[in-house]
Amino acid sequence: MLADVGTDPAPCGIAIHGRHSGLRVYSCNDIPMVYHMADIQSDSDDHMGPASAIYIYYKSLASLLAVLSLTAKTTYAWGALGHQTIGFVAQQFLAPKALSFVETTLGSQYNFSLGPAATWADEVRSEAAFKWSAPLHFVDAEDNPPNSCSVNEKRDCGDNDCILGAIANYTTRVVSKSLDAEQIQEALKFIGHLFKFVGDIGQPLHVEALEVGGNDISAICSGSRTNLHAAWDTGIVTKHVSTSHGGTAQSYATDLVNEIKTGSFKSLASSWLSCSSTTEPVSSKRSLDSDLNKFLARAAEAITPLECPLVWASESNAFDCSVVFSFTTGQDLCTGAYFNNAIPVIDLQIAKQGFRLAAWLNILFDGATNLP
């Protein structure tokens, strides 16, 4: 039976919950109760919080487990649309050996493309065998937006159990000679997701700890209640793609690729492949090639986060101060000035991450970015 809709904690019982599951389970008078920490509109895949919570009471454990299994599989970061777009953009910039590796490794199951494979890491994270992967989709920047924004590796990912460590780990695995074909495919799908992970790095609220990455901040999108994180993951992107880019990930990717090749991003694209050292002045630029090659050379001794993804995380995190949190309570984020300010950020970040994913794989398999 459907009970109250509200944001207050469940009234009684013991909570058994996981921070990133999106669900909290309580026992109240021996009746299992599911406290779903995002509203039914939310596609947010992590940092779930009690915005527009829904209390649902169940009389049997079987019903509870059924809802747990169904609900956990409906969640994505950037939304499936955004992640697939990143994969389709990357596919268009792969060099010959990288393209061959991707097509051979992913096979017909994923139509030989990074696009359809980009959501895999979200789809499996609810499974018992992959629950360990939940923290790998984000880094909790303990900063103070909108007043100050920053990402600090030691402060925010000291144990490497975050997106920064994940990118490093799966980079070594995707080129490993000791893993079998299934493990190599898994590594590639994680990297595609990592560039969804680097795609996740491109989503500003995946690089933010405040209010559980925005999940605990109630929001409105196109007249419907949601939370800030979900609005950025799916609501704004979906409306934008539906109204301006043909409604599909493929068509959106085609438009972004054209912008990279001949449009507004052409003059910017080369700068996306360089990054400043985190220990040297901003004027000291490092190329993605040198960062990745230096990492691979020392990976046999220790896997440590690379410098470029940390800089990219900081780029994304900066938008938390300039755009993401700049709204008032009750404002519809999927229309008007906020929506118009968010769209250029989303286009830029998704295009960047697709281009960077291609460059990453090109360096690994062709020895250079092979990009403009």
Side-chain angles (χ1 to χ4, degrees):
M1 149 176 99
L2 186 63
D4 295 332
V5 175
T7 56
D8 293 330
C12 58
I14 300 172
I16 307 170
H17 65 274
R19 177 179 178 189
H20 309 287
S21 67
L23 297 168
R24 289 182 181 173
V25 183
Y26 294 83
S27 175
C28 188
N29 299 326
D30 297 322
I31 300 175
M33 178 173 71
V34 177
Y35 173 27
H36 191 249
M37 297 163 58
D39 70 9
I40 53 177
Q41 287 248 115
S42 174
D43 265 344
S44 177
D45 75 333
D46 61 47
H47 291 101
M48 292 298 230
S52 305
I54 300 170
Y55 302 126
I56 306 174
Y57 293 81
Y58 291 93
K59 293 185 178 180
S60 73
L61 181 60
S63 297
L64 170 64
L65 293 177
V67 169
L68 285 170
S69 63
L70 287 171
T71 317
K73 292 180 181 179
T74 62
T75 57
Y76 299 94
W78 261 139
L81 181 61
H83 288 311
Q84 289 170 355
T85 301
I86 290 169
F88 286 127
V89 169
Q91 193 81 11
Q92 295 302 308
F93 291 103
L94 292 176
K97 291 180 182 178
L99 177 61
S100 177
F101 172 79
V102 165
E103 291 178 339
T104 300
T105 302
L106 295 179
S108 59
Q109 178 183 1
Y110 296 100
N111 200 27
F112 309 97
S113 172
L114 292 165
T119 60
W120 172 84
D122 276 332
E123 293 164 359
V124 301
R125 63 183 294 176
S126 61
E127 299 176 8
F130 288 95
K131 284 192 177 297
W132 53 266
S133 70
L136 306 184
H137 295 250
F138 57 88
V139 55
D140 276 337
E142 298 289 347
D143 52 2
N144 186 35
N147 298 316
S148 65
C149 287
S150 65
V151 180
N152 182 289
E153 181 186 324
K154 290 183 179 180
R155 181 193 68 191
D156 304 327
C157 189
D159 58 1
N160 282 340
D161 191 25
C162 79
I163 194 171
L164 301 174
I167 290 170
N169 180 41
Y170 284 100
T171 294
T172 63
R173 290 179 67 83
V174 81
V175 294
S176 173
K177 303 298 183 184
S178 62
L179 300 181
D180 61 31
E182 182 178 357
Q183 291 171 313
I184 294 291
Q185 186 194 76
E186 179 181 292
L188 176 60
K189 289 186 291 188
F190 263 122
I191 286 183
H193 199 79
L194 291 171
F195 273 84
K196 184 220 136 180
F197 282 177
V198 171
D200 277 345
I201 278 182
Q203 210 277 49
L205 287 169
H206 280 253
V207 194
E208 183 51 58
L210 182 67
E211 296 290 354
V212 202
N215 273 287
D216 282 1
I217 299 176
S218 296
I220 297 173
C221 178
S222 298
S224 298
R225 290 190 302 168
T226 183
N227 64 64
L228 181 61
H229 193 111
W232 275 79
D233 270 355
T234 57
I236 298 172
V237 178
T238 299
K239 180 178 178 180
H240 174 49
V241 174
S242 295
T243 58
S244 302
H245 297 284
T248 69
Q250 292 96 325
S251 59
Y252 186 27
T254 297
D255 290 344
L256 293 178
V257 168
N258 289 336
E259 290 299 316
I260 294 170
K261 289 182 174 179
T262 61
S264 60
F265 294 148
K266 182 178 180 180
S267 62
L268 303 175
S270 62
S271 68
W272 299 345
L273 304 183
S274 65
C275 57
S276 302
S277 168
T278 57
T279 58
E280 295 176 9
V282 173
S283 59
S284 177
K285 293 289 186 180
R286 294 204 177 187
S287 68
L288 180 57
D289 304 60
S290 64
D291 189 28
L292 190 48
N293 287 326
K294 187 172 75 171
F295 164 80
L296 291 173
R298 69 174 186 267
E301 301 174 4
I303 297 176
T304 56
L306 293 98
E307 294 176 349
C308 286
L310 180 57
V311 173
W312 300 340
S314 297
E315 287 177 6
S316 180
N317 171 262
F319 289 117
D320 289 325
C321 280
S322 62
V323 178
V324 177
F325 287 95
S326 61
F327 68 97
T328 57
T329 301
Q331 179 181 359
D332 195 318
L333 306 187
C334 294
T335 187
Y338 187 92
F339 180 80
N340 292 333
N341 289 334
I343 291 309
V345 175
I346 290 170
D347 284 346
L348 175 66
Q349 294 301 95
I350 289 179
K352 271 185 184 178
Q353 304 320 118
F355 196 68
R356 286 167 171 169
L357 172 55
W360 201 267
L361 294 173
N362 289 349
I363 293 169
L364 292 177
F365 296 101
D366 292 79
T369 64
N370 289 322
L371 295 171

